[in-house]
Amino acid sequence: MRRGTGRAAHAAGFGAKQFAALAALALALAGCASDAAPMLVQAQLRGPTIAFESIDGPPLPIFQKLVANLSAEAAQRQILVVSRAGQPAYRVRGYLAALMSQGKTHIGWVWDVYDAQKHRAFRIAGEEVFSGKRADAWALLDDEMLSRIAHTSMDRLVAFLGAPDTAVAGAGAAPSATPAAFAQGE
């Protein structure tokens, strides 16, 4: 049996361990994990566990790039991401929207973080604004912007995980619906 991760992974600077961690996290984020015990992404992870329930809104290519960026940012920060089939301390549901208004294009993103009782505990949100309108607003989400969204999102998530009691007070009312099964772009 051949060992290693292949030429593409080697050329990208990934070792077998990094590639395996990224692949496991991508599967957990993409909802491809089975109902078996939660997968651990990295051996030395810290803090409460999280699971990504869904990311609604963007087209599939944007969704896939964002998942890869979130995976890399989570691994870099040693965030313990498990399968949504497990029992994480927090579940995250994401939303992205593109809106053209008054000659500008707005790309908004939101991450709702739910506790184990399915109450929203924290909300992370941001927006990118571009002058001018484009036929395909999603085309504005280039690799740099997706990386920035993932980086900012994970920074804020790490801050929340470090002190969730202080963040809960400012989270606002929980939405009426509980997180659904992981889905993309419903």
Side-chain angles (χ1 to χ4, degrees):
M1 181 170 173
R2 188 174 161 200
R3 300 184 91 164
T5 57
R7 288 184 191 162
H10 182 64
F14 282 90
K17 289 181 183 179
Q18 291 86 0
F19 184 77
L22 182 60
L25 184 56
L27 286 174
L29 287 171
C32 295
S34 68
D35 289 337
M39 296 182 310
L40 296 183
V41 178
Q42 199 170 340
Q44 296 179 340
L45 300 174
R46 62 171 188 246
T49 57
I50 66 167
F52 284 88
E53 288 287 327
S54 65
I55 302 173
D56 295 333
L60 186 59
I62 300 296
F63 167 81
Q64 290 170 332
K65 287 180 182 180
L66 183 58
V67 167
N69 280 303
L70 288 168
S71 299
E73 292 290 337
Q76 181 180 5
R77 288 166 176 76
Q78 299 179 338
I79 295 175
L80 183 58
V81 179
V82 298
S83 165
R84 65 188 170 105
Q87 298 296 322
Y90 296 98
R91 294 182 181 273
V92 180
R93 183 164 185 165
Y95 311 89
L96 275 76
L99 171 70
M100 291 179 237
S101 174
Q102 300 177 350
K104 295 184 179 185
T105 302
H106 303 260
I107 305 288
W109 47 273
V110 173
W111 302 106
D112 283 331
V113 181
Y114 295 88
D115 64 18
Q117 289 75 39
K118 298 182 181 173
H119 296 108
R120 190 174 76 199
F122 189 60
R123 174 171 267 191
I124 301 167
E127 181 179 42
E128 301 285 338
V129 180
F130 303 89
S131 58
K133 293 183 179 181
R134 295 199 43 163
D136 180 13
W138 293 112
L140 294 168
L141 283 170
D142 60 11
D143 291 342
E144 182 181 328
M145 183 179 300
L146 289 169
S147 178
R148 187 170 54 242
I149 290 170
H151 181 84
T152 300
S153 299
M154 286 300 159
D155 277 351
R156 293 180 186 171
L157 185 59
V158 165
F160 165 74
L161 293 173
D165 293 337
T166 59
V168 172
S176 58
T178 58
F182 188 93
Q184 183 273 327
E186 293 182 334

